[in-house]
Structures are given as C-alpha cells and as structure tokens.
Amino acid sequence: MGRRQMVRPGGRSARVQASVHAAVRALESEVGRDALTVPLVAQRAGVTASTVYRRWGDLQELLSDVAVERLRPETAPEEHGDLPSDLTAWAEQFLDEMASPTGRAYVRDALLGDPDGSNAGQCSAYAAEQIGVILGRAINRGEAVPDVETVIDRVVSPLMYRILFRPDGLDAAYARHLVAGIPGATGRRRGDRATAPLTH
C-alpha cells in the first residue's frame, strides 16, 4: 500500500506530520534506526500509534516519507557564472551528499517504503527542479543548453547507479567527467559556431 498523502497537508495533519518526522529524527540519533518502532515514534510525537499506522501504514513507509523530506534540497544551486561550472559544482555536491553513509541510508529508505514509486518520483523531481534552475540561468545568460532529461540521463542516472551499486572509487572527478560528456553543456553562447562533438 502506498503513502496515504502526497500533497502537503495543512492544519492538524501538517502538525502531526511535523511532530512524527521530528520524533523519527530524534529517536534515530538517540537509540538508532534499528530500535525504532511505530509505538516508540508515536509516543515521542505525542500521537497514538493508530494515527501513525493510519497515515503511513507501517514503519518502513514512515521512514521512507521522512527520507524523502530529508533528501529535499534546502537551497537553490550555487551560481558560478557559466553552465559547465554550475553543472559541475551541482554534480559534485549531489555526489558528495548522496554517496555519504547518511545520504545512501536515506535513498535506501526512500525506495524501500515506496511500493507505488511515488517517493522515487519525488526524489527525481527534486533533482530535475535543481537542474532546471541551472539550465534556466544559463538560458538567461544566452548560453546553449541541453534539456533537463539529457542531464538526468547523462549525470544523475549514472551517479545514482554507482552510489547504490558500485560506490567504490567514486569521487568528484567522476562527476566532472559525466558533466563534460553532456552534449550542449559547453557554456558557448547561442549562435557561436559549435566545435565538433566528442564521440563516446
């Protein structure tokens, strides 16, 4: 069964979500993730266990919901003056955050409690929104840009695969290599003569 609520609720429902999420985060640091139970979280949050079960279904779905919220970017991507620099800085930060033990744990939680794929879709939307901001800035500067899906396919997808399944040896150089291989992410102004694309 999927998460009960996709839209951010208001009023009491929002307060319940905030207090339950805060309880999960506090208990994770105090007793460890493996010791968490729905009754323990409910007690800390000041709600009944039935409220948690009704809202989230089970502990894994609750942990998944918390993980998705923790994976939400808190700030807009940094601006460095041109598209290659902006994308490279973002990719390096994305790799650093997602490949950390905490980041990998959040990604696993987000996916494990996600039977209908909605949490995975939300995490993907976070990345797409950040990339959209970067590309929008480049367009405003008059640069030629690839589309969001190209960046997802060429940078985010291989990074996530490596983070989840082949994390050994991952470093910033790999992120830079991926960005350098994106067609159209050259920082050239629109209308400049293109150089011959690199073959892969």
Side-chain angles (χ1 to χ4, degrees):
M1 192 178 299
R3 273 193 310 157
R4 290 357 183 226
Q5 192 106 24
M6 284 302 297
V7 177
R8 288 279 173 255
R12 180 181 183 279
S13 188
R15 289 193 299 274
V16 167
Q17 176 175 301
S19 63
V20 170
H21 278 216
V24 168
R25 292 192 298 269
L27 288 166
E28 277 182 326
S29 64
E30 291 171 22
V31 302
R33 186 187 178 287
D34 292 342
L36 292 182
T37 64
V38 168
L40 186 63
V41 170
Q43 181 182 19
R44 173 61 66 93
V47 300
T48 64
S50 63
T51 296
V52 177
Y53 286 121
R54 187 167 51 251
R55 175 77 180 266
W56 285 279
D58 61 22
L59 180 63
Q60 188 59 67
E61 287 191 39
L62 170 57
L63 293 176
S64 183
D65 193 48
V66 171
V68 170
E69 190 62 30
R70 296 301 291 273
L71 290 169
R72 177 194 300 270
E74 295 180 358
T75 59
E78 293 181 10
E79 189 166 5
H80 297 273
D82 61 49
L83 180 58
S85 300
D86 288 357
L87 272 181
T88 298
W90 181 83
E92 289 176 355
Q93 181 179 355
F94 181 87
L95 174 60
D96 187 53
E97 291 175 358
M98 295 297 175
S100 70
T102 301
R104 292 182 70 207
Y106 286 144
V107 170
R108 284 193 298 270
D109 276 346
L111 299 179
L112 282 172
D114 186 28
D116 64 1
S118 58
N119 287 344
Q122 185 58 59
C123 291
S124 177
Y126 293 156
E129 288 166 11
Q130 294 260 301
I131 293 163
V133 169
I134 292 169
L135 299 183
R137 289 172 178 166
I139 290 169
N140 290 340
R141 291 190 298 255
E143 295 175 66
V145 301
D147 61 30
V148 170
E149 291 306 312
T150 296
V151 180
I152 293 285
D153 290 345
R154 297 293 189 100
V155 177
V156 179
S157 296
L159 281 177
M160 286 307 302
Y161 181 87
R162 292 289 297 267
I163 288 165
L164 290 173
F165 300 114
R166 294 177 64 86
D168 291 345
L170 264 182
D171 59 17
Y174 180 67
R176 290 193 295 271
H177 166 74
L178 293 175
V179 171
I182 299 175
T186 62
R188 287 191 313 269
R189 300 292 171 177
R190 286 195 299 269
D192 287 356
R193 187 182 347 188
T195 56
L198 295 173
T199 55
H200 301 287

